Amino acid sequence: MAQPNVPSSPKRKQHPVEGSDRASKRVRSAAEAVNGSMESPSGSQSDDHEYTDELQSTNKPANIFEDKAWQATIESVVKNVVSIHFCQTASFDTDGSIASEATGFVVDAERGYILTNRHVVGAGPFWGYCIFDNHEECDVYPVYRDPVHDFGFLRFNPKDIKYMPVAHLELRPDLAKVGSEIRVVGNDAGEKLSILSGVISRLDRNAPEYGEGYSDFNTNYIQAAASASGGSSGSPVVNIDGCAIALQAGGRADGAATDYFLPLDRPLRALQCIRNKEKVARGTIQCQWLIKPFDECRRLGLTSDWESSIRKEFPKETGMLVAEVVLPEGPSHTKLEEGDLLIKVNGEILTQFPRLDAILDSSVGQTVSLTVQRGGQNISVDLEVGDLHAITPDRFLSVSGASFHDLSYQQARLYAVAVKGVFVAETGGSFRFESLDSGWIITSINHKDTPDLKSFIEVVKAIPDRARVVLTYKHLRDLHTHNTSIVYVDRHWTSEMRMAIRNDETGIWDFTKLADPIPAIPPTPKQANFIRMEGDKYGEASDIIRSFVRVAASMPIKLEGFPRSRKAGFGLVVDAEQGLVVVSRAIVPYDLCDISITIADSIIVDGKILFMHPLQNYAIVKYDPSLVQAPVKSAKLSTETIKQGAETIFFAFNTNFRPVMAKVSVTDITTVAIPASAAVPRYRAINLDAITIDSGLSGQCGTGVLISEDGTVQALWLTYLGERSGSGKDVEYHLGLATPTLLPVIKEVSGGIKPKLRILNVETNTTQMSQARIMGLSEEWIRRVEEEDPERHQLFMVRKVDSGHHDDGLREGDILLTLNGKLVTRVSDLDVMYNNEVLEAVILRKRQEITLKVHTVPTEDFDTSRAVVFCGAVLHRPHHAVGQQISKIHSDIYISMRVPGSPAYMYGLAPTNFITAVNGTPTFDLSQFLKEVNAIPDNTYFRLKVVTFDNVPWVCTMKKCEHYFPTMEFVKDVTDGTEGISGGWRKISYEKESGPGLLGEGELEMGDQGQGVDGAVEDGSG
């Protein structure tokens, strides 16, 4: 029967589709299990009408056991129901990588088979365990997932259950009747039993649509009122005799007590095949059918003769099967059309899905005859029945940080396209597109067509590392647009090309190395010229365009709370002979990255990081000038600080990377500290004098300079990464930085010396004389400030002292008066700290003037030089921003991010936490940590002592999963004279013999670092 559009509630996750007329799956997310609340994939709190507490069935009596017969039934049934905790470890087909919880029930106690939903078992790699009613736990492995219908089977070892007899529920699809009283027996995320009552109201509902993810089709569903919610996917629907008569699957999202159950005809057949060790044959003619009522069928052309015959044959039926989607190039293409009314199959009048499924499943590789009515005319066609498993992918390729497989029947049906093409299951690494949504189809790479995965593999095998090739691709939602872009092929961070193939015997996916990377082709010099500024009226200032190059950074792993895995902008060439470029740290955030430098919009060369300033938001990168045959010009930097009110020329690049120029005035030069990101610490500039100008262009341009008419650069115009707003957007500030502060550092770098700066690791803010007077500053000091700095009547107060430096040095609330005898009224007066181990400071503390020796700290270790990947979590030493925002560093093992679908995600090992012990053994640095965890056997539980960012200790118990999440580390090592992977980095793998693993290379940039999203997963800070 045709169904009204009704909103439906999620059983697993909410798909990002507009509109509310979608059913959803009943799986509870890991975030809900750990945090006690349900989050949507975007990281935002879901609306109340989408998620309801599973046990609150407001339309049912409080005492569900009033009937003794039902009480006896429930007591028997609950022993067979299990709570399933699982990870879908990689994005595959319609499913993203998630950690979640659901329900299942034992259907074969002797062999250890559990029936649950297909959207629980998933189409891709699965890793999980189940908990029985007596809280015994055992591992589960997928045995079968149906290509279309929402059911699948898991296998466990019955011998692992030692303290209760294992029984099973009998599957009785024939007992599902309208008016039957039922109970839905499930789990509320494994915390407590959920038993909900209801009455079957209909048997002929079309399968619910879940949006742009997995949806069942070509089957009827059972409808009842039961009010199930998150965590109930896979629950048995039982009658008073304790027989399973349906499988819980979906429900409405508007809070109405309506749920949708899958009939058990096909699950029962599949179970019988699995018991007999037979292949579960599944046939298809690549046509989606819907049940439509007779009145609608008449409008489509059903004749009265056939309606009379069908009603006579099936007096209880009220509708027929009507073709809804006919896939191009499939068996039904050109023979069936949308709107065709199915009359007969192989001469048999047919109106229901179970019988159609039975015929097709028994006819794989054979021909079936269909009689349909089209516009009142009888049409007979012969169709070849294809193998449904053959168009359901069971393997994927992992290369260059992304994964690919052939387009599935599920995706093709959803978008009504032919079942062909290379589908990007996981965007990432080299294959990141304008939108991070799934649904991309690769049509060619390196000018070679890729109609299927096999041809794609052959083409990619032959592409050298670091090559830039042409990629063409489409999106399933917009097949009219053919996109073309250039991709940088990474085969060094993600060196191995792997094929993952599902193994239904073991329940895991086997990984095979396909090819070693081809070394990068040595670059050759290229020639180019810069553009000229037409209509120029700024003299030599416009020639500064020859000093700008475009800088792009690609980060294979997210570290230090930085929210993006790619960033691009412009840098200023300060030494053309050596290829030195100054660029914002909002573009180049840390050393573990690839740097590409584009000169004159024509020549692309690799770059490497030489220096990163710990406070002033700039880095110096280098390219090989011998590869560049272009008139690159070294920028001339002013040695004088630009003054407030000065007129100058603003030259910068707007959001379209186009140069703009305008005459401007300096409106202010003021001391600022970029606001800290509250959700997760990340690099920010502090203790700096920022320049602002009187032009609207300042907010539109992230990179540029303030330059005089004679071509002297007076200030850099930089992007500063700030806090994350309440809406989840990263705030960026555009401010000027006077050039004199850069000169000492640039001089050292040009001389081949890496600056070894020392700093006072404190954050300061300005204090006006009125405040200082109240805090006890004497009149003599106030007069001295006014005399020595007529432009700025201010001092600096210590706002925050970095963790670990509170004892004998500066303290919060101290007012700095002098350093080494010089009055401190400007940020530049603090520059004395860079080259001195000890400073003599005069301060005001609690109304007392105090002279003390203040030790500076070295900054060489501020940059992350080692990162460990363990169970899907990325660990490194706490970076400088952590010390700036926390009162105590609990250990040198800081959780920077975690991969969705990993053990770290599943067991709640959250970013910004510290690990202090493994199985009771203190582990205060990464070396100790690796020693302890590498001794832990695979697939076993261990304990981690963890401390949150808010100083709350807790214990995390989690299970190791080396097969999908092997341990590895990235180490910055330049002592041996080798280049390593890139820029002196090398990778160390701790893989066990269990297999090469799935994640840990390119996929690691898709990770949770706190809250919010970068694409489909949570990124750095909200």
Side-chain angles (χ1 to χ4, degrees):
M1 301 287 290
Q3 305 303 321
N5 291 330
V6 293
S8 311
S9 70
K11 300 215 171 19
R12 184 184 72 199
K13 60 179 181 178
Q14 183 72 22
H15 291 277
V17 294
E18 297 181 357
S20 60
D21 57 340
R22 299 293 189 193
S24 294
K25 311 173 184 80
R26 295 281 196 220
V27 178
R28 196 168 188 259
S29 74
E32 184 184 16
V34 173
N35 303 322
S37 64
M38 174 68 82
E39 291 182 345
S40 68
S42 66
S44 61
Q45 197 71 21
S46 300
D47 294 337
D48 290 340
H49 75 273
E50 292 179 331
Y51 300 98
T52 56
D53 186 293
E54 185 173 354
L55 295 182
Q56 304 304 313
S57 180
T58 57
N59 61 329
K60 303 300 172 189
N63 184 5
I64 200 101
F65 297 113
E66 287 180 349
D67 188 290
K68 292 184 178 180
W70 270 115
Q71 181 174 355
T73 296
I74 296 303
E75 289 177 351
S76 173
V77 167
V78 294
K79 298 177 182 178
N80 308 292
V81 178
V82 298
S83 174
I84 302 170
H85 301 243
F86 66 96
C87 296
Q88 293 174 2
T89 63
S91 295
F92 186 84
D93 196 10
T94 59
D95 301 322
S97 51
I98 62 165
S100 194
E101 300 176 6
T103 306
F105 59 98
V106 179
V107 292
D108 190 319
E110 181 181 349
R111 298 173 179 86
Y113 294 145
I114 293 171
L115 175 62
T116 187
N117 290 124
R118 191 257 200 192
H119 67 259
V120 174
V121 178
F126 173 100
W127 180 72
Y129 63 92
C130 71
I131 299 176
F132 280 77
D133 181 54
N134 69 341
H135 286 269
E136 284 191 84
E137 176 185 326
C138 62
D139 294 334
V140 291
Y141 302 92
V143 175
Y144 175 79
R145 72 274 289 153
D146 195 80
V148 171
H149 300 323
D150 198 6
F151 74 91
F153 292 95
L154 300 173
R155 170 178 52 84
F156 71 98
N157 186 353
K159 295 181 180 179
D160 291 340
I161 307 304
K162 300 179 173 59
Y163 302 104
M164 63 174 279
V166 178
H168 64 258
L169 298 183
E170 183 181 2
L171 302 185
R172 292 294 304 273
D174 56 307
L175 297 180
K177 309 288 185 182
V178 173
S180 296
E181 189 176 358
I182 57 167
R183 298 291 186 269
V184 181
V185 184
N187 291 275
D188 184 14
E191 297 178 5
K192 47 192 174 183
L193 191 64
S194 166
I195 304 168
L196 302 173
S197 61
V199 176
I200 293 177
S201 59
R202 59 187 303 182
L203 304 174
D204 57 354
R205 190 197 193 280
N206 281 306
E209 283 282 348
Y210 298 130
E212 291 191 81
Y214 164 76
S215 290
D216 200 347
F217 59 96
N218 282 352
T219 183
N220 59 293
Y221 264 60
I222 298 169
Q223 181 172 312
S227 291
S229 65
S232 64
S233 275
S235 296
V237 180
V238 299
N239 65 5
I240 196 168
D241 296 321
C243 297
I245 63 174
L247 179 68
Q248 166 76 355
R252 288 174 50 139
D254 60 356
T258 301
D259 275 84
Y260 310 129
F261 309 140
L262 176 71
L264 294 180
D265 307 81
R266 308 323 288 167
L268 177 57
R269 170 186 172 269
L271 177 61
Q272 292 168 344
C273 292
I274 294 170
R275 283 170 170 167
N276 297 332
K277 300 188 181 300
E278 300 172 354
K279 178 182 178 181
V280 183
R282 295 287 277 114
T284 180
I285 54 174
Q286 295 189 29
C287 174
Q288 179 186 357
W289 305 88
L290 288 182
I291 306 172
K292 295 195 176 182
F294 280 123
D295 59 320
E296 189 169 347
C297 292
R298 286 193 294 272
R299 294 195 296 271
L300 290 169
L302 176 64
T303 62
S304 57
D305 291 344
W306 273 118
E307 181 178 355
S308 176
S309 298
I310 292 171
R311 286 183 180 271
K312 182 177 179 180
E313 183 81 13
F314 305 104
K316 294 184 179 181
E317 296 296 336
T318 58
M320 300 172 59
L321 299 183
V322 180
E324 178 73 7
V325 177
V326 178
L327 294 194
E329 303 181 31
S332 299
H333 185 52
T334 72
K335 296 183 178 181
L336 294 179
E337 294 182 4
E338 289 79 2
D340 284 352
L341 306 168
L342 183 61
I343 304 295
K344 291 183 178 181
V345 179
N346 289 345
E348 175 185 344
I349 296 179
L350 191 150
T351 63
Q352 287 293 318
F353 284 114
R355 183 56 186 153
L356 178 61
D357 260 350
I359 294 173
L360 295 180
D361 291 349
S362 61
S363 304
V364 176
Q366 302 174 27
T367 300
V368 295
S369 297
L370 270 65
T371 299
V372 299
Q373 274 212 324
R374 182 182 304 158
Q377 300 296 317
N378 291 346
I379 297 175
S380 296
V381 295
D382 292 332
L383 302 176
E384 183 178 345
V385 179
D387 185 355
L388 191 50
H389 294 296
I391 55 176
T392 302
D394 64 351
R395 63 196 62 203
F396 66 89
L397 171 73
S398 178
V399 65
S400 296
S403 60
F404 311 83
H405 58 70
D406 286 315
L407 184 68
S408 70
Y409 181 42
Q410 272 284 338
Q411 295 276 20
R413 192 277 315 179
L414 182 62
Y415 296 99
V417 299
V419 190
K420 65 178 183 180
V422 179
F423 178 76
V424 186
E426 182 83 77
T427 58
S430 299
F431 297 89
R432 298 182 70 84
F433 304 107
E434 297 87 351
S435 167
L436 296 181
D437 292 340
S438 62
W440 297 102
I441 300 291
I442 305 296
T443 55
S444 75
I445 185 170
N446 203 20
H447 304 292
K448 296 180 176 63
D449 292 338
T450 55
D452 52 37
L453 186 63
K454 182 178 179 181
S455 60
F456 180 81
I457 291 172
E458 294 305 314
V459 175
V460 175
K461 272 184 182 180
I463 299 176
D465 183 28
R466 301 179 187 272
R468 290 175 172 84
V469 298
V470 177
L471 182 76
T472 62
Y473 51 98
K474 296 182 179 182
H475 198 281
L476 287 170
R477 283 198 299 267
D478 182 16
L479 295 175
H480 306 289
T481 303
H482 211 144
N483 304 281
T484 301
S485 65
I486 309 297
V487 297
Y488 172 77
V489 177
D490 165 26
R491 295 295 305 279
H492 46 281
W493 299 111
T494 58
S495 58
E496 289 190 355
M497 175 186 286
R498 297 170 173 170
M499 178 68 82
I501 302 176
R502 190 181 72 220
N503 186 333
D504 286 329
E505 293 295 323
T506 62
I508 62 176
W509 289 58
D510 299 326
F511 302 96
T512 304
K513 181 179 176 180
L514 297 183
D516 289 319
I518 298 174
I521 297 175
T524 56
K526 300 285 192 307
Q527 186 175 3
N529 284 296
F530 290 88
I531 64 170
R532 290 183 297 179
M533 301 291 289
E534 296 295 335
D536 172 37
K537 58 181 180 180
Y538 298 108
E540 294 184 30
S542 61
D543 200 38
I544 193 66
I545 196 168
R546 294 198 291 128
S547 300
F548 275 101
V549 296
R550 186 175 177 184
V551 180
S554 176
M555 286 67 73
I557 303 177
K558 286 184 178 179
L559 302 176
E560 300 185 2
F562 192 73
R564 303 295 175 205
S565 56
R566 283 186 181 179
K567 197 70 175 174
F570 283 85
L572 183 70
V573 177
V574 293
D575 190 329
E577 290 186 1
Q578 297 191 59
L580 301 183
V581 180
V582 175
V583 63
S584 168
R585 284 198 63 170
I587 297 169
V588 181
Y590 48 83
D591 192 70
L592 184 65
C593 66
D594 285 334
I595 303 291
S596 296
I597 297 175
T598 305
I599 297 158
D601 290 330
S602 179
I603 305 170
I604 303 177
V605 294
D606 291 336
K608 64 179 180 180
I609 298 173
L610 296 184
F611 172 77
M612 307 185 78
H613 200 286
L615 301 178
Q616 293 183 348
N617 193 53
Y618 70 87
I620 298 178
V621 299
K622 176 181 174 61
Y623 66 90
D624 185 352
S626 68
L627 300 174
V628 179
Q629 297 176 354
V632 182
K633 178 183 176 181
S634 299
K636 179 184 176 182
L637 305 184
S638 174
T639 58
E640 300 293 329
T641 302
I642 193 170
K643 301 294 185 180
Q644 183 178 3
E647 291 189 351
T648 186
I649 298 169
F650 181 64
F651 180 99
F653 293 85
N654 61 21
T655 53
N656 296 321
F657 296 138
R658 293 294 302 163
V660 296
M661 295 185 73
K663 281 209 169 188
V664 299
S665 296
V666 175
T667 55
D668 194 14
I669 303 175
T670 185
T671 302
V672 301
I674 302 300
S677 175
V680 60
R682 59 192 185 193
Y683 176 83
R684 62 191 176 98
I686 63 170
N687 302 340
L688 73 148
D689 278 340
I691 301 170
T692 58
I693 58 175
D694 61 346
S695 172
L697 290 174
S698 63
Q700 303 172 21
C701 302
T703 305
V705 292
L706 300 180
I707 186 170
S708 63
E709 290 188 2
D710 67 358
T712 301
V713 175
Q714 299 164 306
L716 301 185
W717 194 257
L718 299 175
T719 296
Y720 294 76
L721 180 62
E723 73 278 21
R724 175 155 285 192
S725 68
S727 62
K729 183 179 181 181
D730 292 303
V731 177
E732 291 185 342
Y733 299 89
H734 301 150
L735 300 166
L737 178 67
T739 53
T741 62
L742 284 73
L743 296 176
V745 171
I746 293 174
K747 182 179 180 180
E748 287 194 50
V749 175
S750 296
I753 301 172
K754 183 174 181 178
K756 295 183 178 180
L757 304 183
R758 303 182 68 87
I759 64 170
L760 291 169
N761 54 349
V762 298
E763 181 179 345
T764 63
N765 53 20
T766 57
T767 300
Q768 304 305 315
M769 293 300 96
S770 60
Q771 298 168 307
R773 180 179 275 117
I774 294 172
M775 298 178 71
L777 189 66
S778 68
E779 296 299 320
E780 289 78 11
W781 278 107
I782 293 174
R783 283 196 297 272
R784 180 177 175 181
V785 170
E786 293 173 348
E787 292 171 359
E788 295 190 19
D789 194 344
E791 296 179 0
R792 296 198 189 182
H793 297 170
Q794 64 181 28
L795 292 168
F796 290 92
M797 183 174 69
V798 177
R799 176 184 175 275
K800 176 75 172 64
V801 178
D802 294 357
S803 61
H805 300 273
H806 292 75
D807 298 332
D808 56 354
L810 297 173
R811 300 177 186 175
E812 281 91 349
D814 288 351
I815 294 179
L816 281 173
L817 301 176
T818 66
L819 287 176
N820 284 0
K822 187 177 187 313
L823 187 68
V824 179
T825 60
R826 298 171 183 253
V827 169
S828 58
D829 297 331
L830 299 174
D831 290 353
V832 66
M833 65 184 172
Y834 291 136
N835 300 305
N836 289 279
E837 292 188 17
V838 180
L839 297 172
E840 183 178 272
V842 177
I843 64 170
L844 178 67
R845 178 184 295 168
K846 296 181 178 179
R847 307 184 69 86
Q848 299 293 320
E849 292 180 17
I850 300 175
T851 300
L852 47 79
K853 300 291 185 181
V854 179
H855 292 267
T856 58
V857 297
T859 61
E860 295 95 292
D861 293 336
F862 279 14
D863 298 333
T864 297
S865 59
R866 186 182 189 186
V868 171
V869 183
F870 174 73
C871 284
V874 175
L875 318 171
H876 57 70
R877 284 187 59 198
H879 49 291
H880 186 210
V882 175
Q884 290 176 322
Q885 292 181 229
I886 198 171
S887 59
K888 179 182 179 181
I889 299 291
H890 300 284
S891 80
D892 268 1
I893 308 168
Y894 175 81
I895 303 172
S896 177
M897 62 158 279
R898 58 183 179 180
V899 178
S902 66
Y905 204 96
M906 183 178 190
Y907 293 101
L909 199 60
T912 73
N913 285 187
F914 300 85
I915 298 174
T916 61
V918 178
N919 284 337
T921 301
T923 53
F924 294 106
D925 59 41
L926 290 173
S927 295
Q928 290 177 306
F929 178 81
L930 283 172
K931 178 183 177 182
E932 294 301 320
V933 298
N934 284 331
I936 298 172
D938 191 22
N939 204 42
T940 58
Y941 277 102
F942 57 94
R943 303 185 316 280
L944 296 178
K945 188 173 182 181
V946 184
V947 182
T948 71
F949 199 79
D950 296 323
N951 304 322
V952 179
W954 65 288
V955 175
C956 173
T957 58
M958 60 188 299
K959 185 183 289 187
K960 203 174 185 183
C961 179
E962 289 282 350
H963 186 75
Y964 294 123
F965 298 94
T967 303
M968 64 179 67
E969 66 174 318
F970 295 86
V971 181
K972 176 79 170 181
D973 187 359
V974 294
T975 58
D976 60 2
T978 62
E979 270 299 296
I981 300 173
S982 183
W985 287 88
R986 57 192 176 92
K987 183 172 67 176
I988 303 171
S989 177
Y990 298 94
E991 294 173 356
K992 300 293 192 299
E993 295 181 358
S994 60
L998 170 62
L999 297 178
E1001 290 196 328
E1003 294 83 350
L1004 285 169
E1005 89 257 5
M1006 302 291 290
D1008 169 23
Q1009 299 182 347
Q1011 50 186 339
V1013 294
D1014 177 16
V1017 294
E1018 299 177 80
D1019 79 359
S1021 39

